[in-house]
Amino acid sequence: MAMRAAVLAPRGLRRLFSTSTFIPPPVNQSTPSPPQAEPSPNLFVSGLSKRTTTEGLRDAFAKFGEVVHARVVTDRVSGYSKGYGFVRYATTEEAAAGIQGMDGKFLDGWVIFAEYARPRPPPGTPPNTGNYPPYGGSPPYGQQ
DNA sequence: AGTGAGCGC
């Protein structure tokens, strides 16, 4: 009777197919590291040509909304463009229109990328120079 | 020098 072993074998494999405690792939309960920043009137534009200046950047984005501020980041010492810049619209919806209208488009022969700019640490929290408040800087840990 | 990813003073 060799069939005996064939019948008993599948019984041991049952635990592999048991429906107990199946962990479904978590979609995304929390957003620990969003690839893009949340909507804001501020835009980060990359992929700019070295020839593109603040004026050209503002002029290109002004077609989709009221640009209150535009700047092409240039190196302090060399003075040349770093190839990216920032555009600030009056409202967030205008910024969205600016992204839809300029992202992936050409500017001075280069494909540019427009997205929401990341929030920047405001001036008021200078690097720890050794001076503690009220002279500026951060107090050591454990101190209130 | 502008080689080309990125986040500004």
Side-chain angles (χ1 to χ4, degrees):
Chain A
M1 310 275 196
M3 289 174 73
R4 261 197 142 128
V7 175
L8 293 176
R11 276 233 305 235
L13 297 177
R14 277 230 198 131
R15 46 200 306 272
L16 296 179
F17 298 93
S18 70
T19 57
S20 64
T21 326
F22 172 73
I23 305 176
V27 183
N28 223 346
Q29 319 183 54
S30 59
T31 51
S33 54
Q36 283 191 346
E38 49 187 280
S40 70
N42 225 19
L43 257 55
F44 171 74
V45 186
S46 58
L48 295 178
S49 168
K50 305 295 183 185
R51 299 159 294 190
T52 303
T53 178
T54 294
E55 199 175 57
L57 185 65
R58 172 191 289 266
D59 184 72
F61 279 78
K63 297 181 297 185
F64 304 95
E66 179 184 349
V67 179
V68 292
H69 185 67
R71 172 176 302 165
V72 170
V73 179
T74 54
D75 187 75
R76 290 291 183 93
V77 288
S78 64
Y80 283 102
S81 170
K82 286 187 178 179
Y84 65 90
F86 295 89
V87 173
R88 167 169 293 212
Y89 281 100
T91 61
T92 303
E93 54 186 19
E94 285 177 318
I99 292 180
Q100 301 297 325
M102 286 305 299
D103 184 52
K105 297 307 188 309
F106 279 87
L107 183 57
D108 289 333
W110 285 83
V111 180
I112 68 175
F113 300 95
E115 56 189 329
Y116 294 112
R118 301 172 184 166
R120 216 193 38 176
T125 46
N128 206 336
T129 55
N131 281 335
Y132 305 134
Y135 303 102
S138 306
Y141 299 102
Q143 196 168 358
Q144 320 188 30

